[in-house]
Amino acid sequence: MENIEALREEVLAEVEKAADLAALEDIRISALGKKGRITGLMKNLGKMDPDQRREFGQALNAVKDQVASALDMRKGDLENAALEARLTGERIDVTLPSRPSETAGRIHPISQTIDEIVSIFGEMGFALAEGPDIEDDFHNFTALNIPPEHPAREMQDTFYLPEGEDGSRLVLRTHTSPVQIRTMQSKTPPIRIIAPGRTYRSDSDMTHTPMFHQVEGLVIDKKTHMGHLKGCLLEFVKTYFELDDVPVRYRPSFFPFTEPSAEMDIGCSRKGGELKIGAGDDWLEILGCGMVHPRVLAACGLDPEEYQGFAFGMGIERIAMLKYGIPDLRTFFDTDLRWLKHYGFVPLDVPNMVRG
Ligand code: PHE
């Protein structure tokens, strides 16, 4: 009897201390297995007389049951602990940003640059405007103070569509300036728009592709002057190139639709063949601009005595190449996936005023 009691204590203590499921299984086998300690005592029952056997047998069965249920409980506890440990170990932080996938698509640098430009001017209060790629002569030329036979039409090598029944020919717009006209025709000042889009010229070499992108800006109200133009464009180049200060200069130029007209240059250095924007003793032309010509206002039905404002036009590929160090214009339109993977942008990396 004492043997049984001692064995009970011993086995229960072992069960209590079992550190893991494997240790617990060893204990079960050593107590209740075929050659186990409790099983061993059971075998002795046969040699006992009936009274002793009944007493001993009952006690032994009770111990067996107790040990079995202790094993069960401990097993449950250990299983819970193991699960708990796994859950903690394998926990995923669902708030982490997703990793860019190698197979995911990329945003083309042109789209990214347009988004950046729109967000910068949007912050200054400009609205987005759009116009058709196929334009009529009036919007692309005449209303912009470029009458038929005017030599300025030869400044831009135009793609013409086949003649219509009335003898007129539509064109692929040669610049985004027709959006100025469409906006002034349909809205009353104050006007403040930015119009990015595709433009076309019959031109193809190292630095020209037949299709390229421009962004047009237009501000019309009663008081806007050249100072506003300068402040606005300076603010833009600083934000776009992510520089605290950029030297700029305005060179007198000619556009039929602005008077005065200017080309804006930004300061740069080209030492050692490497172009650096923002400092140095060299200049880089980045856009054309000027005060909207009174004739253009009049062509859109606005009284030039009452309204005035400025406009500018900028090549998007050019400023994308400058900011992102893309050396060859033509590669923009080669649709080479390796190029896009290298120069493209991760879709969720949306440009904004804080990160550029
Ligand atoms: N449309 C001109 C060009 O394509 C650019 C420009 C736009 C100049 C607006 C002045 C004002 O070259």
Side-chain angles (χ1 to χ4, degrees):
M1 268 331 218
E2 275 155 36
N3 269 356
I4 297 179
E5 186 50 30
L7 185 57
R8 189 182 79 102
E9 297 293 322
E10 187 184 313
V11 175
L12 290 180
E14 284 173 10
V15 168
E16 199 54 43
K17 271 193 241 145
D20 54 35
L21 290 167
L24 193 67
E25 178 62 6
D26 287 346
I27 295 164
R28 188 188 66 78
I29 292 168
S30 85
L32 303 176
K34 266 196 192 133
K35 290 179 183 151
R37 287 164 287 173
I38 295 176
T39 322
L41 287 180
M42 292 284 208
K43 285 180 186 154
N44 289 343
L45 291 176
K47 296 172 205 147
M48 295 176 185
D49 62 60
D51 283 346
Q52 214 183 357
R53 187 190 302 154
R54 191 184 318 115
E55 191 192 351
F56 214 84
Q58 270 174 2
L60 207 50
N61 269 330
V63 170
K64 207 177 136 188
D65 289 350
Q66 259 187 16
V67 166
S69 77
L71 280 165
D72 258 5
M73 260 178 62
R74 186 70 189 144
K75 190 168 176 220
D77 288 352
L78 287 173
E79 276 169 356
N80 281 342
L83 182 63
E84 196 59 41
R86 235 186 94 191
L87 286 176
T88 335
E90 292 173 8
R91 175 171 295 158
I92 2 175
D93 183 351
V94 292
T95 66
L96 284 176
S98 59
R99 291 198 191 102
S101 148
E102 274 310 296
T103 53
R106 293 290 158 100
I107 303 288
H108 196 282
I110 291 295
S111 307
Q112 180 84 6
T113 304
I114 290 177
D115 286 353
E116 287 176 35
I117 295 170
V118 168
S119 109
I120 294 169
F121 282 104
E123 200 74 13
M124 292 189 219
F126 283 71
L128 183 68
E130 279 177 317
D133 287 17
I134 297 174
E135 267 299 2
D136 54 40
D137 191 274
F138 178 77
H139 290 91
N140 196 80
F141 294 121
T142 308
L144 286 159
N145 194 29
I146 314 174
E149 318 309 330
H150 191 282
R153 290 206 176 191
E154 277 153 38
M155 280 168 74
Q156 306 172 347
D157 294 307
T158 312
F159 284 116
Y160 287 93
L161 273 72
E163 230 170 68
E165 268 167 26
D166 60 354
S168 69
R169 299 178 88 179
L170 295 173
V171 301
L172 292 180
R173 67 176 176 190
T174 55
H175 49 179
T176 40
S177 299
V179 186
Q180 286 186 36
I181 305 302
R182 293 186 176 276
T183 308
M184 286 187 275
Q185 283 177 323
S186 62
K187 301 235 156 42
T188 357
I191 289 169
R192 205 180 280 170
I193 55 118
I194 192 87
R198 292 197 172 105
T199 46
Y200 307 82
R201 287 180 203 178
S202 177
D203 225 351
S204 191
D205 59 36
M206 267 284 281
T207 51
H208 297 89
T209 49
M211 189 279 295
F212 58 103
H213 297 76
Q214 283 192 341
V215 58
E216 193 81 8
L218 175 72
V219 175
I220 301 289
D221 55 26
K222 294 183 175 172
K223 293 200 173 112
T224 290
H225 52 69
M226 197 92 184
H228 295 119
L229 177 157
K230 290 171 73 180
C232 171
L233 292 177
L234 177 62
E235 199 53 38
F236 167 73
V237 289
K238 285 201 297 191
T239 315
Y240 177 75
F241 289 108
E242 296 170 24
L243 294 166
D244 291 336
D245 206 16
V246 189
V248 296
R249 72 173 184 192
Y250 294 83
R251 265 179 305 107
S253 184
F254 171 75
F255 299 104
F257 33 90
T258 46
E259 182 58 35
S261 302
E263 249 145 339
M264 180 183 164
D265 297 343
I266 55 176
C268 68
S269 92
R270 291 187 170 92
K271 282 204 189 77
E274 201 201 331
L275 180 71
K276 225 180 138 220
I277 289 164
D281 47 15
D282 226 335
W283 296 98
L284 189 74
E285 178 195 322
I286 68 157
L287 57 85
C289 57
M291 298 305 294
V292 177
H293 198 292
R295 282 209 206 122
V296 174
L297 294 168
C300 300
L302 296 178
D303 180 0
E305 295 299 321
E306 191 179 356
Y307 294 113
Q308 59 183 41
F310 66 81
F312 59 88
M314 179 162 57
I316 294 178
E317 284 79 2
R318 184 169 172 73
I319 66 160
M321 287 165 81
L322 292 173
K323 181 165 176 179
Y324 297 113
I326 304 173
D328 186 343
L329 170 72
R330 291 169 299 186
T331 58
F332 276 93
F333 311 116
D334 279 347
T335 63
D336 183 338
L337 281 178
R338 290 163 307 174
W339 183 89
L340 194 57
K341 205 167 168 189
H342 182 79
Y343 287 111
F345 294 82
V346 176
L348 291 177
D349 206 0
V350 181
N352 62 43
M353 285 303 286
V354 182
R355 290 186 329 212

